[in-house]
Amino acid sequence: MKITRIAQAGALAAVAALALAGCASSGGTSPSSSGSSTPTDSGVNVTLDTSLTGTITAGGSSAQANAQAAWTAAYNAQVKGVTVNYDKSQGSGGGVTNFLSGAYDFAGSDAPLSADETTKSKSLCTDGGVNIPVYLDGVAIIFNVPGVTSLKLSGETIAKIFDLKITDWSDPAITKDNGTALPAGKITTVARSDGSGTTANFTNYLAATQSSVWTYPAGKNWPVSGNVSLQKGGSGVVGAVKAGSGTIGYADHSAIGDLKSAEIIQDGTAVPFSAEAVAKTFEVAAVDASNGVAGDLSKKFDYSKLTAETYPIPLVSYAIACTTFKDAAQAKVTKSYLGFIASSIGQQIAAKNAGSAALPDSILKDAQKTIDAIK
């Protein structure tokens, strides 16, 4: 897409307004970003047609919720005639289901379409649905243990806790990870009850790095039964961990509010979540995993490439869309909005309001090519 200085200046003003108002803290306090929050004239920029009108219906990933709220506000500051309705309550699984049924113009999902879902999408999209990366963050391991403000956990210990093999906070494995004993107390794990891309990213990490301990396949549905508190949506997990005692769960980092998250031990180093560490993970470990549809930009992570500088549980989230719409007018408004969120300014808005990491320009340029092909 071409650069338009007027549109770009408007976006910069919108970013500044959002930064002052903190508008995207929908339902909680968003973590501050350690990434760049100051827009520049460089990067991948877009032209917005401010005369567009219409309604975009979308939903899915709760991980994208804060970013979507900020994107919508900034987009509407320029394109006032387009209404964007994004339903975060669906989760990635519900978002994909509604997209495949034709109810959504695009789905937000923390996992790309599966092979079966890609096949199903061909009845809707002709060539098939495409997965466009729009959001980069990490899965945080959140905890609420009385008297504990700092927690370090190895991947093996995390796997054993969530597989219910470690059930007390005084367990020797937790003591070893932290260099000191934690107060004794029952551990309650909290997981997603709905089909979740956050679950998929978390179980991808566990299955790839802890296969001797974690014997379940990766997927959107939580595989462990027993003494587990199952909650709908990322907000449900966060709420249950916060309301409990001795609780531990997982959620997109943007959603955790004032809860503490564990530092994850990688190559002997305890790595806290940061936008820089997640960006480094993407840089060294993200590899192409196209579903075969022209323009698809699916990624997967090669966890063998993790280092002491990378956050070990990354989360890349997608906008899933058709490149051919049945309604040309609907294609035009959806294309405009997706182009905005997959621009450098869109990424800076997400970083400021959701604490996420900006996707690299190389990915944004590829995303713009795919979005440009929407018709």
Side-chain angles (χ1 to χ4, degrees), residues 21 42 45 56 96 138 180 187 234 255 270 284 306 331 343 351 371:
S42 61
N45 301 292
I56 298 170
V96 169
T180 186
I187 296 174
V284 303
L306 294 174
S343 69
I371 294 165

Side-chain angles (χ1 to χ4, degrees), residues 141-145 153 157-169 174 185-193 202 206 214 216 222-231 236-242 244-251:
I141 305 302
I142 52 177
F143 63 95
N144 186 8
V145 183
L153 296 173
T157 303
I158 291 169
K160 288 181 177 179
I161 289 172
F162 281 92
D163 194 21
L164 310 182
K165 293 184 174 75
I166 292 176
T167 59
D168 195 281
W169 287 106
I174 298 176
K186 177 184 174 183
I187 296 174
T188 299
T189 61
V190 184
R192 292 282 290 269
S193 63
F202 185 33
L206 294 174
W214 187 263
Y216 308 96
W222 187 246
V224 182
S225 59
N227 186 29
V228 182
S229 174
L230 296 175
Q231 303 292 328
V237 171
V238 170
V241 171
K242 189 170 185 176
S245 179
T247 45
I248 186 169
Y250 61 92

Side-chain angles (χ1 to χ4, degrees), residues 4-371:
T4 295
R5 292 295 175 190
I6 293 175
Q8 190 178 32
L12 293 173
V15 171
L18 288 172
L20 291 171
C23 77
S25 56
S26 55
T29 302
S30 300
S32 61
S33 171
S34 53
S36 171
S37 61
T38 304
T40 68
D41 286 341
S42 61
V44 178
N45 301 292
V46 296
T47 298
L48 292 179
D49 181 351
T50 59
S51 69
L52 287 175
T53 59
T55 299
I56 298 170
T57 303
S61 164
S62 57
Q64 290 185 26
N66 284 341
Q68 287 287 350
W71 284 331
T72 298
Y75 181 77
N76 284 151
Q78 300 170 82
V79 188
K80 301 181 187 300
V82 175
T83 299
V84 182
N85 294 320
Y86 183 88
D87 184 359
K88 66 179 182 179
S89 72
Q90 296 298 307
S92 296
V96 169
T97 296
N98 287 340
F99 169 72
L100 293 174
S101 74
Y104 283 170
D105 296 307
F106 74 89
S109 177
D110 305 333
L113 295 173
S114 66
D116 181 56
E117 289 165 344
T118 298
T119 298
K120 290 179 180 177
S121 72
K122 292 181 179 180
S123 64
L124 174 72
C125 302
T126 307
D127 295 324
V130 290
N131 304 279
I132 307 168
V134 294
Y135 180 79
L136 175 62
D137 209 351
V139 178
I141 305 302
I142 52 177
F143 63 95
N144 186 8
V145 183
V148 178
T149 58
S150 176
L151 181 66
K152 300 178 179 66
L153 296 173
S154 67
E156 181 178 357
T157 303
I158 291 169
K160 288 181 177 179
I161 289 172
F162 281 92
D163 194 21
L164 310 182
K165 293 184 174 75
I166 292 176
T167 59
D168 195 281
W169 287 106
S170 63
D171 190 276
I174 298 176
T175 300
K176 180 181 177 181
D177 287 348
N178 290 273
T180 186
L182 273 62
K186 177 184 174 183
I187 296 174
T188 299
T189 61
V190 184
R192 292 282 290 269
S193 63
D194 52 331
S196 161
T198 306
T199 299
N201 281 271
F202 185 33
T203 56
N204 279 339
Y205 163 75
L206 294 174
T209 66
Q210 308 300 326
S211 58
S212 64
V213 178
W214 187 263
T215 58
Y216 308 96
K220 293 180 183 179
N221 297 311
W222 187 246
V224 182
S225 59
N227 186 29
V228 182
S229 174
L230 296 175
Q231 303 292 328
K232 181 175 174 60
S235 60
V237 171
V238 170
V241 171
K242 189 170 185 176
S245 179
T247 45
I248 186 169
Y250 61 92
D252 175 75
H253 189 265
S254 72
I256 71 173
D258 57 3
L259 279 172
K260 301 291 186 181
S261 62
E263 298 176 40
I264 302 173
I265 299 171
Q266 175 64 40
D267 290 354
T269 299
V271 183
F273 172 86
S274 71
E276 290 86 356
V278 168
K280 184 67 175 178
T281 307
F282 192 91
E283 176 188 337
V284 303
V287 295
D288 293 338
S290 173
N291 65 4
V293 178
D296 183 75
L297 299 173
S298 300
K299 301 292 178 183
K300 65 180 180 180
F301 288 96
D302 181 349
Y303 295 96
S304 69
K305 296 181 179 179
L306 294 174
T307 71
E309 296 179 328
T310 61
Y311 184 74
I313 319 179
L315 181 150
V316 61
S317 196
Y318 302 87
I320 299 174
C322 299
T323 54
T324 302
F325 278 60
K326 295 178 180 178
D327 185 319
Q330 202 62 30
K332 195 170 184 179
V333 294
T334 304
K335 177 177 181 175
S336 172
Y337 180 69
L338 294 181
F340 177 71
I341 70 177
S343 69
S344 293
I345 288 172
Q347 293 296 295
Q348 290 162 17
I349 290 169
K352 180 64 183 180
N353 290 276
S356 58
L359 286 160
D361 281 358
S362 59
I363 298 299
L364 298 181
K365 289 175 182 176
D366 288 341
Q368 294 296 336
K369 290 177 183 177
T370 296
I371 294 165

